[in-house]
Amino acid sequence: MMRLMRVHGADLLDGFETAVEARVNWVSEHRDKIDLAIKQGIGASALDLMIQETAATASQLDTVRENLKRLIQERYPMGSPDGQTG
């Protein structure tokens, strides 16, 4: 499937890989801060920044997921349960 995606949607697959990597990097870089915040609390401005950053990476993942879903549905329609497409 990945080879097929690479042929028909290389830019979308690259976007997915980039979004996943950004999320992994953010979590890895902030793991200690998150653990500390859970144990000791966190200031409002630091919390707001963390929320904005994690929401941004989640949004990237949502965007590429929707783009990949649309590509798959357009290229490989499965039809409806009654056997009709559309």
Side-chain angles (χ1 to χ4, degrees), residues 30-60:
H30 292 83
R31 181 171 286 133
D32 292 338
K33 289 180 186 177
I34 293 168
D35 289 342
L36 188 62
I38 290 169
K39 292 175 185 172
Q40 298 180 356
I42 187 170
S45 63
L47 178 60
D48 287 343
L49 180 60
M50 289 179 78
I51 290 169
Q52 290 171 8
E53 290 173 345
T54 196
T57 60
S59 177
Q60 289 173 329

Side-chain angles (χ1 to χ4, degrees), residues 64-78:
V64 294
R65 181 180 53 85
E66 286 301 315
N67 290 341
L68 286 169
K69 176 183 167 184
R70 187 171 31 260
L71 174 77
I72 291 168
Q73 288 174 337
E74 289 171 359
R75 302 237 184 208
Y76 313 103
M78 298 299 284

